[in-house]
Amino acid sequence: PIHLFLFSLESMRALLARHGYEVSAVWMFGLDFYEVFSTLALFADGLDGSILHDKLAPLISDFQEVIDRHELCDEFIVVGRKLPA
């Protein structure tokens, strides 16, 4: 029921270029590390309240900064334009 994808704009550009398109515009909807962390806590028995949980929880903002800096997301909308042949 739960899955995780990390897409990059670079990978989307490469996919479109392979098919003769270029990116004209993009809207990125960020991957929220808190969501990832919360999901892990739901499915990993013993994580909630563990030493690992207590050590990672204060670092959520740091993890989010890395995700944002690398423009990773779990959803984006891309407008492509067909390149002239």
Side-chain angles (χ1 to χ4, degrees):
I2 302 294
H3 59 276
L4 175 65
F5 293 102
L6 294 175
F7 300 108
S8 71
L9 185 53
E10 182 180 333
S11 65
M12 181 55 73
R13 280 194 171 109
L15 174 69
L16 290 174
R18 198 172 332 149
H19 296 281
Y21 288 83
E22 69 179 2
V23 172
S24 295
V26 63
W27 293 268
M28 299 179 100
F29 302 94
L31 174 66
D32 184 14
F33 186 76
Y34 178 78
E35 271 183 62
V36 174
F37 191 62
S38 299
T39 301
L40 285 174
L42 287 173
F43 291 97
D45 289 335
L47 178 62
D48 198 21
S50 70
I51 293 171
L52 179 61
H53 180 276
D54 293 345
K55 296 293 183 186
L56 288 177
L59 300 173
I60 288 174
S61 294
D62 296 322
F63 285 114
Q64 188 64 51
E65 182 182 333
V66 171
I67 290 168
D68 293 344
R69 186 173 347 117
H70 291 284
E71 295 184 321
L72 299 173
C73 64
D74 55 3
E75 185 175 352
F76 56 71
I77 297 170
V78 175
V79 176
R81 178 176 78 88
K82 183 78 172 160
L83 294 170

